Amino acid sequence: MKQTISTWRHVFKIDPDRNVDDAALEAICLSGTDAVMIGGSSGVTYDNTVELLSRVRQFEVPCVLEVSSLEAVVPGFDLYMIPMVLNTKHPDWLIGHHARAAHKYSYLIPWEQLIPEGYIILNPDCTAAAVSEANAALTESEAAAYAEIADKLLHLPIVYVEYSGMFGNLDLVSAVYRSLSGSQLFYGGGIKDADSARLAAAVCDTIVVGNALYSDLKQALSTVAAVKPSRV
Ligand code: 1GP
């Protein structure tokens, strides 16, 4: 299926390392979200990724994998989102793991299905920040500078402001948004209901909702209608 991420306004992110029962998964996939992204910062394996993909594939919603571990790359997704952590202190998370993957598996990689994401991780307490050794203590203008490099120098299609687990500083997100001219801005972190979805959606192109699916599914589902025009 050909994907046009530029039209995505809303994405649900499901973690293969967490349980989601069939009824919940059906509600997520039929919610009207633009895509289901499978990904997590720890405990993602080939087996739990295959299992979740095959369950999501019962539905028509686009399904993409956000790659965080080479061992858990499973064929059959619509797209593969490749995080490049811009504010990491270690080059592995910007380019090192990627180069090692290409070195080993270049002939297997469906390059045309890969979408790089320029990650700016801003919650110092989230797993992604710890794993990737991110310098999460950025000011508004510093975060915007990273975004400008991603956009105007690296020409990355996506800049992803990641506050996983907490609702972010929307003044900062807005400053990042204003600094972009080509890249699409994804925002994720702490969106748990229609109000927080609307606030975040006002300062980015695409919101990503993750944790709320596990804490209050009904409220999480309400984030779709909050940011997408209703279907006739
Ligand atoms: C996590 O950005 C996503 O990678 C969504 O964040 O889990 O806090 O909704 P939450």
Side-chain angles (χ1 to χ4, degrees):
M1 193 195 304
K2 182 108 182 100
Q3 295 303 326
T4 43
I5 55 170
S6 59
T7 61
W8 291 358
R9 193 75 176 123
H10 184 285
V11 172
F12 277 131
K13 192 185 282 194
I14 325 182
D15 186 340
D17 195 34
R18 296 174 81 172
N19 288 326
V20 55
D21 66 32
D22 287 342
L25 193 67
E26 179 173 359
I28 292 165
C29 292
L30 298 179
S31 64
T33 187
D34 293 304
V36 166
M37 185 185 285
I38 293 184
S41 299
S42 64
V44 180
T45 66
Y46 190 91
D47 288 349
N48 61 24
T49 303
V50 165
E51 203 232 324
L52 192 50
L53 172 64
S54 65
R55 292 173 65 209
V56 173
R57 278 295 189 226
Q58 300 171 81
F59 307 96
E60 283 183 16
V61 67
C63 187
V64 303
L65 179 67
E66 187 168 62
V67 177
S68 59
S69 154
L70 203 50
E71 289 68 43
V73 177
V74 169
F77 282 88
D78 293 310
L79 292 173
Y80 295 84
M81 316 298 278
I82 312 295
M84 305 177 79
V85 182
L86 304 175
N87 60 329
T88 179
K89 294 176 198 147
H90 200 293
D92 269 357
W93 298 99
L94 180 65
I95 193 86
H97 291 305
H98 317 62
R100 277 190 283 283
H103 188 232
K104 214 166 162 188
Y105 297 113
S106 180
Y107 63 102
L108 285 174
I109 296 174
W111 292 99
E112 63 293 342
Q113 286 178 275
L114 268 49
I115 310 277
E117 306 170 299
Y119 254 73
I120 305 172
I121 302 180
L122 293 164
N123 175 3
D125 299 323
C126 73
T127 309
V131 169
S132 69
E133 301 172 53
N135 171 21
L138 299 182
T139 63
E140 270 180 44
S141 55
E142 286 169 341
Y146 275 105
E148 271 201 291
I149 295 293
D151 177 19
K152 300 187 176 105
L153 189 62
L154 302 176
H155 302 290
L156 297 180
I158 294 173
V159 168
Y160 191 136
V161 170
E162 173 67 292
Y163 273 100
S164 179
M166 69 176 273
F167 197 61
N169 170 356
L170 294 191
D171 290 336
L172 182 152
V173 183
S174 180
V176 166
Y177 198 29
R178 289 194 305 274
S179 77
L180 298 175
S181 50
S183 306
Q184 182 172 347
L185 182 59
F186 279 41
Y187 167 84
I191 297 171
K192 59 177 180 14
D193 54 20
D195 285 345
S196 50
R198 261 185 236 106
L199 288 170
V203 289
C204 71
D205 296 302
T206 308
I207 61 165
V208 183
V209 180
N211 275 302
L213 292 169
Y214 304 92
S215 53
D216 188 335
L217 179 63
K218 194 160 171 250
Q219 292 289 340
L221 294 170
S222 76
T223 61
V224 180
V227 301
K228 284 178 64 71
S230 58
R231 290 174 294 177
V232 190

